[in-house]
Amino acid sequence: GNEMEKLKKVSPFRHSSLLRIQKDPKLALQLFLNPNSNPKPKPFRHSLLSYDLIISKLGRAKMFAEMEQIVEQLKQETRFVPKEIIFCNIMTFYGRARLPDRAISMFDQIPSFRCQRTVKSVNTLLNSLLICREFGKMRDIFVGIDQYACPDVCTYNILINACCLSNDMDDAWNVFDEMRRKGVFPNVVTFGTLINALCANLELDKALRLKKYMVEKFNVKPNVFVYASLIK
């Protein structure tokens, strides 16, 4: 019977491998919840990787009730501190599913997992809110950003994109100016977003001037996206 016992026992590493290859999220969940086929299993020590895998599979499948159950279990773990990327993934899943309040709630809970919030999770939240067109909520998060992180070029690009999508070019330029004041260098995405919005508003001369300015003043080379906007 000893050989059988050995076969039935699954190591955390093997468990992660089995989880990774399981395409069906429902079966993956079963595997996560019942790693051993033993009738009286010892408590199984899930690895951080297996949490990451199951959360991603459930999130992609929009099985949010099940995903939240696993996230709750992760909160009780004392053997490791989850990485910020796990929470970024969760906020992204909520954003795609148009569940902005759940994305905000996840962001608020990150410290209770003993995990530090950086500009990465702030940007992920802002981007999820952008997908949901929650411009007011984005503004609220940005106003209080200093308690979490220093905004970077990605933060400002998301905000400029939000202004352009809500057709508020004055605000977009205000964000651009604030970015410069804070010493954050605009990149090709910054200029691409502004040029695209100007072209959409048929302000082609302004768009061409901005392209010239970006090359001469900031030494930023236009990419395909910038040219595509100008050709349209």
Side-chain angles (χ1 to χ4, degrees):
N2 214 0
E3 281 306 304
M4 279 307 290
E5 288 290 295
K6 268 186 199 154
L7 278 176
K8 279 183 178 171
K9 272 221 170 103
V10 178
S11 74
F13 175 76
R14 170 108 179 97
H15 184 239
S16 299
S17 309
L18 291 170
L19 264 180
R20 191 189 293 280
I21 57 177
Q22 179 51 259
K23 295 274 185 285
D24 183 331
K26 290 195 179 74
L27 293 176
L29 180 63
Q30 284 313 310
L31 179 61
F32 185 90
L33 296 174
N34 312 303
N36 285 316
S37 46
N38 265 348
K40 286 194 296 228
K42 285 198 182 109
F44 185 80
R45 290 172 173 273
H46 286 101
S47 65
L48 183 53
L49 175 61
S50 70
Y51 274 106
D52 191 7
L53 288 166
I54 192 65
I55 286 169
S56 292
K57 283 177 191 288
L58 295 172
R60 274 193 210 103
K62 295 191 168 59
M63 292 169 65
F64 293 127
E66 294 85 347
M67 181 185 82
E68 283 156 14
Q69 181 195 340
I70 302 293
V71 171
E72 220 20 71
Q73 191 178 325
L74 176 60
K75 200 183 260 182
Q76 312 310 319
E77 286 285 359
T78 51
R79 290 171 299 123
F80 46 71
V81 173
K83 304 232 180 333
E84 189 181 21
I85 183 71
I86 290 184
F87 306 112
C88 290
N89 290 339
I90 293 170
M91 289 187 283
T92 301
F93 295 136
Y94 284 143
R96 285 185 199 148
R98 305 294 186 273
L99 295 167
D101 292 333
R102 290 207 208 177
I104 293 170
S105 164
M106 182 73 265
F107 179 77
D108 290 339
Q109 286 178 58
I110 294 175
S112 65
F113 291 81
R114 306 182 308 289
C115 177
Q116 197 73 41
R117 286 178 292 197
T118 72
V119 73
K120 239 194 215 81
S121 50
V122 180
N123 289 347
T124 305
L125 176 60
L126 286 171
N127 202 48
S128 299
L129 294 174
L130 176 68
I131 292 169
C132 300
R133 300 293 186 263
E134 291 281 359
F135 302 123
K137 286 178 176 155
M138 289 179 73
R139 193 158 283 147
D140 296 343
I141 298 292
F142 184 68
V143 165
I145 194 170
D146 291 337
Q147 51 185 314
Y148 318 114
C150 273
D152 62 8
V153 63
C154 187
T155 317
Y156 287 110
N157 288 346
I158 295 166
L159 293 172
I160 287 172
N161 198 2
C163 298
C164 294
L165 286 172
S166 49
N167 226 340
D168 191 342
M169 286 311 287
D170 289 344
D171 236 12
W173 291 114
N174 289 340
V175 175
F176 183 75
D177 292 340
E178 182 186 334
M179 175 181 191
R180 304 276 314 284
R181 271 201 309 279
K182 288 270 171 83
V184 177
F185 259 78
N187 62 13
V188 71
V189 176
T190 321
F191 289 110
T193 306
L194 288 164
I195 287 170
N196 190 45
L198 289 169
C199 292
N201 290 335
L202 303 178
E203 299 190 59
L204 201 59
D205 47 340
K206 272 190 190 166
L208 288 165
R209 274 210 305 278
L210 185 59
K211 176 186 159 278
K212 194 165 179 257
Y213 178 68
M214 113 184 169
V215 175
E216 289 172 6
K217 178 117 171 50
F218 289 95
N219 201 16
V220 173
K221 304 272 180 287
N223 61 5
V224 177
F225 177 68
V226 170
Y227 283 122
S229 302
L230 291 167
I231 292 164
K232 273 192 293 202

